[in-house]
Amino acid sequence: MQPNLPQGIKVLFISGFGPVVNRQQQSEHLYRDMFGLPLEHTEGYEGYWHTQAVEGVKHFALWPLDKAALSCFGTEQWPEEVPVPQAWLELDVEDIEAATQVLEQNGYNLLVRLKQEPWGQTVTRFLSPEGLLVAVAHTPFLRSGK
């Protein structure tokens, strides 16, 4: 049970997790061939292999660094002054706008604020103290009956 948090962020579920990859072939080999994860390729989104068919996680994906950069900065180059993330974590929250506001009020440097992704997800992204690319999100297609 989650404690009552005064800040107003209520996490509903982990909507996604995966490594941010910069050695594409080696990562595809490990996760798809060695681990046998049922990863599917997204046409037009080169290098993005994903699945929603692994028990215990809503969405797992190998997210190429250039695609993460495009989502966060609008360019395929990750800025040199920003630490390169090793993994990404998305937390679907009850109220994306309130969660974004709480993060801002607590001094987090938001890379993306309430961005509407082409696939219908709304995200606010930032780097965690550990260097993870973290998002609070609203992901309609992962919410059963919502």
Side-chain angles (χ1 to χ4, degrees):
M1 177 164 209
Q2 186 175 5
N4 187 10
L5 300 176
Q7 292 93 346
I9 298 177
K10 181 178 179 186
V11 174
L12 301 178
F13 55 86
I14 296 172
S15 53
F17 178 77
V20 172
V21 300
N22 58 17
R23 296 185 345 187
Q24 190 70 39
Q25 289 180 328
Q26 293 91 332
S27 293
E28 287 178 19
H29 177 69
L30 175 63
Y31 293 100
R32 190 182 60 219
D33 303 332
M34 299 304 298
F35 289 153
L37 295 178
L39 300 175
E40 302 172 10
H41 182 257
T42 298
E43 196 64 38
Y45 204 62
E46 199 61 37
Y48 190 80
W49 289 87
H50 61 94
T51 185
Q52 293 174 16
V54 175
E55 192 65 32
V57 66
K58 296 274 188 177
H59 187 87
F60 177 90
L62 305 181
W63 197 10
L65 181 60
D66 62 336
K67 302 304 186 234
L70 188 62
S71 178
C72 292
F73 304 106
T75 177
E76 292 189 348
Q77 291 296 321
W78 193 267
E80 288 185 24
E81 67 276 7
V82 178
V84 175
Q86 301 301 303
W88 62 277
L89 173 65
E90 291 181 355
L91 303 168
D92 253 57
V93 296
E94 185 174 69
D95 185 336
I96 182 68
E97 291 180 8
T100 298
Q101 186 176 25
V102 167
L103 290 167
E104 287 176 319
Q105 290 171 346
N106 283 274
Y108 288 92
N109 181 27
L110 304 183
L111 304 176
V112 171
R113 186 185 189 285
L114 298 172
K115 180 181 180 190
Q116 182 73 38
E117 296 286 13
W119 47 90
Q121 181 185 48
T122 303
V123 295
T124 293
R125 298 188 195 282
F126 62 98
L127 288 177
S128 75
E130 307 81 21
L132 295 178
L133 182 55
V134 176
V136 291
H138 178 87
T139 314
F141 61 89
L142 293 180
R143 295 177 182 225
S144 58
K146 295 185 181 180

